[in-house]
Amino acid sequence: MTTSTIRPLLPLLVAAILSLPAVAAGGAPAGPLPWEARPAATPLPPLDLEAVTAAGTAACDDNSDGDGTWPGCRGTGCHVCAEKVSSYPCYYLNHPNCVENTTCGGRYYDCDSSCPAPTEADRCASTSCQTDTCWSCSQPALGVDADADAVPDRLEYDLAHQFFPSIKLQGFSDDLANSYLYKGWAIPYTVQPLAPTSICNETLECLEIRFGIAYDEDTGDGLGWTSHPGDSEFYAVLVQRTTAWSSASGYAGYWRILRDFTAAHWGDSGDSSRYGAYGSCPPYCGSWDNSESQCNAHSNHCNWFPGLCSGVPSNHYGSCSQYWDEGSCYFAGCTWYDSSCYNEVAIGCYSSSPVATYRTLYAAEGKHALYHTDNECENGGYFDADACPYNAYDMRSSKGQKLQNVGSRSNHAGFDTYIQHPDGCKLYYVWGGDRFAGSTEYRKHFMATLTWDLP
C-alpha cells in the first residue's frame, strides 16, 4: 500500500489556491459503513430480532416532502444522519431500509416516514451488542515478539505506558465523557523500529510509537455544525535509546523522546498538525528568506520558494505568472509574493535536549485536535477556531491498563486488533480500512509516513 508523506502547505500552494475554481459542496451522501466483527471470546447468544421492538421495515421511498416526520436526514429522506442516532445503536437494525449517512455536516432535513425519530426500542437489547474485551492490553511475558520486529513486546508495552502523554481536556460532556479511556474502552497503539538514518544510525536505535487517541464523538464547534460520531485523533513519539541495545531492550528507562507529532485536523482544512523537536533541533529556515544559496545549503531541512506573481493583469491580457520579478509584477497590476526559505515540516523546538518522560499536550474543546502548547491551541484550526479555555481534566489519569498493542499492518495475528466501535454496540477492526464511524480510519493514521526532520 502506498503511504502518504506529511509536508507543509505554506507558500508553494499560494498560486494554486488563488487559481482554483470554486467547487460546489454536495454530492451523494455516504452509504452504510461496513465493519468486520470478530468472534467473541465467549460466544454471544444469537440475536433475536423478534425481541427487538422494530418500528417497521417498510421500503423507504423518500416521501419526505413536508410531512414533518423529523429533521434527521440529509441527501434524501432515507439517509439518516449517523450523529442523530449515535445513542441508538439498533436504529439501523430496526429500520433496515434507512441508510447511514456520516457526512451530514450539521445540516438536517425531513426524513421519510419509514425512517422515524429514534425511540427507546432503538437503544438495543443487551444480547444484540458486542462489548470489547482487550486481551493484548496486559503486560506481555518476557521474550515474546509477536509482530516479529525484533523489539520485545514487553519493551513496547513499557514504552507505550511511559510515554503516553498527559492530555489536557477542556469540558466534561464534550471531551472527557467522550474519551475512550474515561469510558473504560481501550485505545490502540503500535511500536515499530525506525530504519537507520541520520542520528538514528544504528539498528534498533530509534523506535516510533503511535497512539490512537479515540473519542466516541466529535462535538464540533460551539454550535455543533461540524459534529460527527467517532473521532480518531492521533499522537506519535520518536524515542532514542541512550545505551547499547543489549541493555535498552529490557528497560524503558534507557529511552528518551527525540521527536513527537501532534495531529490537529490532519489533512483537513485548518490543518495545524505540528512536529516537536527535543534536542538536535533543525535550523530556523526563515533566517535565509533572502538568500537562495544559504537556503539550498540547508536543503535537508529547508525548501526555497523563489517568489511568485499571481492574479489577473490590469489589462486582462495573459497571466500574471509570466512576470518573474516584483517590479514588472507590480506594474502589471498583479500581486507579488516574496521569496522565502521555509522548513521542510512544521516543527517547533521544545527542548534543547531529549526528554525522559511523557509530554503534556492540549486537546481543543469539542474537536479534540492536539497541540503542544495552550497558545498553539488558541491559534489553531480553521480561522483559529480551536480553543483550550479550561484544561480541567487529564486523560492520562484514566489510562490504567487500557493501552492496546495492535501489532503492525503486516504482522498482527498475535494481537487483539479490535476496539469498541464508537456506537458502543459493535467492534471496530483497526487494520480493516473502514472509517471510524464518521471520522478517518485508524489504519491510515498508523501507516502514513511521518517526516521526523532529523539532522
Side-chain angles (χ1 to χ4, degrees), residues 65-260:
D65 298 331
D67 62 9
T69 301
W70 72 294
C73 294
R74 185 179 180 187
T76 76
C78 306
H79 287 81
V80 179
C81 299
E83 60 269 31
K84 286 289 190 177
V85 294
S86 60
S87 298
Y88 302 88
C90 270
Y91 184 87
Y92 298 106
L93 283 174
N94 292 348
H95 310 285
N97 293 304
C98 304
V99 180
E100 182 182 22
N101 183 5
T102 62
T103 60
C104 291
R107 299 175 66 182
Y108 310 116
Y109 305 93
D110 198 22
C111 292
D112 182 83
S113 57
S114 65
C115 296
T119 67
E120 286 301 313
D122 300 316
R123 288 194 184 276
C124 271
S126 60
T127 57
S128 66
C129 289
Q130 288 180 290
T131 301
D132 179 57
T133 55
C134 177
W135 56 263
S136 63
C137 285
S138 57
Q139 188 178 52
L142 291 172
V144 176
D145 180 18
D147 55 352
D149 61 358
V151 181
D153 293 348
R154 172 74 71 90
L155 178 63
E156 295 183 359
Y157 172 94
D158 291 343
L159 290 173
H161 281 269
Q162 176 167 314
F163 293 113
F164 183 81
S166 168
I167 300 178
K168 298 300 183 182
L169 299 173
Q170 308 311 310
F172 178 79
S173 59
D174 286 345
D175 304 309
L176 183 63
N178 285 325
S179 68
Y180 264 39
L181 294 182
Y182 180 79
K183 294 171 75 70
W185 297 350
I187 63 170
Y189 74 88
T190 65
V191 180
Q192 295 293 307
L194 186 72
T197 181
S198 59
I199 60 173
C200 294
N201 55 12
E202 295 182 11
T203 301
L204 301 175
E205 182 176 359
C206 293
L207 303 177
E208 186 178 278
I209 310 168
R210 302 192 185 196
F211 298 99
I213 312 297
Y215 302 81
D216 66 359
E217 184 179 8
D218 178 329
T219 60
D221 53 28
L223 298 177
W225 288 345
T226 56
S227 64
H228 55 79
D231 193 10
S232 56
E233 299 298 332
F234 169 64
Y235 174 67
V237 60
L238 183 70
V239 296
Q240 183 180 37
R241 55 182 166 86
T242 60
T243 189
W245 172 251
S246 57
S247 298
S249 61
Y251 180 50
Y254 288 134
W255 296 83
R256 301 290 184 268
I257 295 180
L258 190 61
R259 294 283 190 272
D260 69 355

